[in-house]
Amino acid sequence: SLWEDREKNLWCGTGAGLVVIRPNNLETISPPDKWNGCAVLSVLPMPDGTLWAGTEGAGLYRLQNGSWTSFGLTNSISNQGIRNPFVWSLAADDAGKILPGTWGGGLFAQKDDSFDFAPGLENILLPMRALLFLHDGLWIGTPAGVLHSQHGKLERFNEIAGEPFGDVR
């Protein structure tokens, strides 16, 4: 995952963790548990300076005001709600709530400091490799095409002119 912030820093999710490439400096950013040895797969910076990072097996992390919070399966937040520690994609909705997409464990929606299945998508357990929230709803890239969720309605797009297009990342 790559993201350029407003200061022209490049944030990179790598097998070694989260890396920040600054115009004149390279710095590795990691929480105290060093991502539990897992790769960082997705990064989502927020307008307030909060940074979210999804990992390949250690769950979701938040860096806010210099403090880390882990939303993994083995942390101190017992009811955080993310039931799958493989967080492949991240998006934020219009209200700034975080939407983590997992590898075959569902899409979750932030509710204060916890997460639950995204409304209307509780039974969709495809790997969610890409998320994009736009004015017309949430777009989800999966191995079986694209899903579009808007106002509780789910549409599937998996072919163009009758031909399947499959994996969307």
Side-chain angles (χ1 to χ4, degrees), residues 17-167:
L18 183 60
V19 174
V20 178
I21 301 173
R22 301 188 195 279
N24 295 318
N25 187 14
L26 178 67
E27 178 183 353
T28 300
I29 306 293
S30 63
D33 68 5
K34 308 279 190 226
W35 315 103
N36 284 312
C38 297
V40 174
L41 299 176
S42 53
V43 178
L44 180 65
M46 300 299 290
D48 68 358
T50 300
L51 181 73
W52 292 87
T55 68
E56 188 175 33
L60 179 65
Y61 288 81
R62 178 181 64 202
L63 176 59
Q64 186 175 38
N65 299 322
S67 296
W68 288 96
T69 303
S70 170
F71 297 87
L73 297 176
T74 60
N75 69 2
S76 60
I77 299 174
S78 59
N79 293 318
Q80 84 273 349
I82 297 176
R83 295 164 185 84
N84 185 315
F86 296 86
V87 180
W88 276 64
S89 55
L90 292 167
D93 66 14
D94 284 335
K97 298 295 183 183
I98 305 304
L99 299 160
T102 67
W103 183 265
L107 178 71
F108 295 88
Q110 182 183 16
K111 294 181 180 181
D112 297 319
D113 239 7
S114 65
F115 292 84
D116 201 354
F117 283 112
L121 297 168
E122 298 87 352
N123 297 318
I124 306 296
L125 300 178
L126 292 166
M128 298 187 183
R129 296 178 173 153
L131 298 174
L132 179 62
F133 193 87
L134 296 174
H135 67 281
D136 67 346
L138 180 67
W139 294 88
I140 305 165
T142 77
V146 174
L147 303 176
H148 179 235
S149 176
Q150 182 182 25
H151 306 300
K153 182 181 173 193
L154 186 66
E155 289 181 90
R156 294 175 188 265
F157 300 90
N158 56 12
E159 60 181 51
I160 297 173
E163 295 293 320
F165 61 79
D167 195 8

